[in-house]
Amino acid sequence: MAPIKAAIIGLSASAKTAWASRAHLPYLFSPLGRSKFEVVALLNSSTEAARAAIKAYNLPASTKAYGTPEDLAADPEVELVITNTRVDKHLETALPSVIAGKDVYIEWPLAANTIEARTLADAVKQHGGLGIVGLQGPLGPLPKKLREVISSGRIGEVLSSELRANGGIDGRGVIPASLSYFTERKVGGYVYTIGFAHQFDLVQSVLGDYKTGPDAPQGFLQIQRPQVKVIGEDKTVVETVTSDTPDLIFVHGYVDSGASLHFRFRVDLPFPSDPALVWTIAGTKGEIRVVAPSSTFIHIGNAADPQKFEVHDFETDTVDEVEWDFEDWQKKLNLQARNIGAIYEDYYEVKRNGKQKTFVSFDDALKRHEQLEDILANGLKQ
């Protein structure tokens, strides 16, 4: 079967964050990825920038270079458009391809705000393509194993869950210059909508959806360090900016099953010797504990310091470690690319073999946007 013809938006030769090259290219350029996908076009800020990226990443000379979203959308060869721009550019760069009926992958967050996310979700339904979102956590091996253990009844009925995390960028009021936009809520991409949201989505993929609304418990969010120091590559302070994005997040309430949920995320370094993240799930027969020693990125993983998954059996009062691992093909990729690769694999099976999707759709992502907006609107304390 012929590979799916794909175009990438935002694969820049000079990108500051380089997520496209670190998380997408390793799978797409792997033997497995090449058997299923072929990158035939790039869209950057100009055709010259696209040509520079084609050269920088050794793409074939036949790869087309585009400088406008409309020109890419008009290319009849392209089946899948992969959007890797900053979040406030998602709508303007991806919408023309959505309207053209192409399948479109957009990194999370889907858009800068809920209104734009709804525009994209509505356009996909209207024009017939598939919408895929880079919320990769639920497709990872850890949440899959968690769901398996819970559904087996090993810990009984789930009563409550608590997650405590200290993470973010550098913490303590410091941020790299390349990510200084994390201090601007209007951009739409910052710790609450990225770092916290990835965790929040993964937790819900295991426990069920969090209840929001006027009658549901909400959260408490605060900007504790409004003055943030921006540092350059040499670690010296370039400037100090005022942040309007929360750096302390408490979310509490219930999931669909009725189990209670308490979630605390602080943009800071953990106390020395404490793990970055601890997640417990308490049931009637036992309790699960997941510990991430040095990174809150449980949607990605950490090969040098992997998450530990344990189960405490109340009847025997024993604690067992549960083994989990990536697929063999994923182990050949860097960490950032492993669960992204799982999204591509799932999409390919949907597109070519009619499989039921497990990736996050635009509609799914819109629901997460609405949750986050509701919690922020009701919980942020100035």
Side-chain angles (χ1 to χ4, degrees):
M1 197 173 290
I4 292 171
K5 308 291 188 182
I8 302 176
I9 303 176
L11 178 63
S12 171
S14 59
K16 292 180 179 179
T17 55
W19 183 250
S21 60
R22 287 187 290 116
H24 289 259
L25 291 192
Y27 169 80
L28 291 170
F29 287 0
S30 71
L32 180 62
R34 288 183 187 276
S35 72
K36 299 178 179 181
F37 297 89
E38 180 185 358
V39 177
V40 298
L42 298 186
L43 166 62
N44 283 349
S45 57
S46 66
T47 54
E48 291 76 15
R51 291 191 191 103
I54 290 169
K55 181 179 180 181
Y57 295 104
N58 297 313
L59 289 165
S62 60
T63 307
K64 287 167 277 191
Y66 290 114
T68 71
E70 292 75 19
D71 287 343
L72 171 60
D75 187 334
E77 184 185 25
V78 173
E79 301 171 73
L80 171 67
V81 173
I82 303 158
T83 308
N84 269 278
T85 64
R86 203 173 79 168
V87 61
D88 53 341
K89 301 296 183 182
H90 285 180
L91 180 67
E92 67 181 81
T93 57
L95 186 59
S97 289
V98 172
I99 292 172
K102 299 183 185 301
D103 297 340
V104 177
Y105 177 120
I106 299 181
E107 274 299 334
W108 172 264
L110 176 57
N113 53 60
T114 302
I115 293 173
E116 292 185 2
R118 187 173 294 110
T119 297
L120 286 163
D122 289 346
V124 160
K125 284 182 282 191
Q126 181 179 352
H127 296 284
L130 290 175
I132 307 103
V133 179
L135 276 171
Q136 70 270 42
L139 278 71
L142 176 60
K144 286 181 179 178
K145 183 60 74 171
L146 284 164
R147 291 191 290 267
E148 178 186 314
V149 169
I150 291 171
S151 63
S152 74
R154 185 170 175 181
I155 66 167
E157 179 187 354
V158 174
L159 301 175
S160 64
S161 182
E162 180 179 3
L163 190 149
R164 293 175 287 112
N166 284 10
I169 311 303
D170 284 0
R172 297 176 187 163
V174 178
I175 195 166
S178 62
L179 296 175
S180 60
Y181 64 88
F182 270 41
T183 62
E184 302 175 60
R185 202 186 314 166
K186 66 181 181 181
V187 172
Y190 49 98
V191 170
Y192 174 63
T193 61
I194 298 178
F196 168 79
H198 271 289
Q199 293 180 13
F200 196 43
D201 176 65
L202 188 152
V203 167
Q204 292 180 87
S205 79
V206 172
L207 300 175
D209 280 342
Y210 175 79
K211 293 181 178 291
T212 56
D215 299 324
Q218 290 297 316
F220 176 90
L221 299 89
Q222 195 173 36
I223 305 169
Q224 295 198 310
R225 291 187 172 94
Q227 299 303 309
V228 177
K229 295 177 181 178
V230 179
I231 58 173
E233 293 183 1
D234 60 357
K235 303 299 182 182
T236 60
V237 177
V238 177
E239 62 177 330
T240 299
V241 299
T242 300
S243 172
D244 65 353
T245 64
D247 51 18
L248 179 66
I249 303 158
F250 288 97
V251 173
H252 52 270
Y254 304 95
V255 295
D256 285 339
S257 67
S260 61
L261 174 66
H262 179 76
F263 200 129
R264 191 221 71 187
F265 188 101
R266 188 176 63 167
V267 182
D268 205 341
L269 302 173
F271 193 86
S273 80
D274 279 0
L277 179 147
V278 177
W279 178 17
T280 58
I281 304 170
T284 54
K285 295 166 56 178
E287 184 170 7
I288 290 170
R289 181 174 67 175
V290 174
V291 177
S294 57
S295 171
T296 62
F297 293 160
I298 54 176
H299 61 292
I300 295 175
N302 188 328
D305 213 0
Q307 296 98 348
K308 190 174 184 180
F309 176 5
E310 297 174 302
V311 176
H312 177 205
D313 185 295
F314 293 162
E315 184 176 351
T316 62
D317 196 28
T318 55
V319 176
D320 295 322
E321 185 170 353
V322 178
E323 299 295 328
W324 62 274
D325 206 350
F326 289 94
E327 299 286 341
D328 287 343
W329 67 265
Q330 291 176 299
K331 294 177 186 178
K332 299 174 183 177
L333 306 175
N334 60 307
L335 274 171
Q336 294 95 331
R338 291 178 181 180
N339 290 339
I340 296 294
I343 297 178
Y344 281 113
E345 285 288 297
D346 190 58
Y347 163 73
Y348 182 87
E349 290 299 315
V350 171
K351 190 69 174 177
R352 290 291 193 249
N353 299 319
K355 175 182 172 286
Q356 185 72 27
K357 70 98 178 166
T358 57
F359 62 75
V360 173
S361 69
F362 282 15
D363 270 346
D364 298 331
L366 174 60
K367 185 173 184 178
R368 293 289 178 252
H369 271 280
E370 290 170 340
Q371 284 182 325
L372 293 170
E373 183 181 80
D374 192 37
I375 293 167
L376 185 66
N378 290 286
L380 181 61
K381 309 302 178 186
Q382 300 291 349

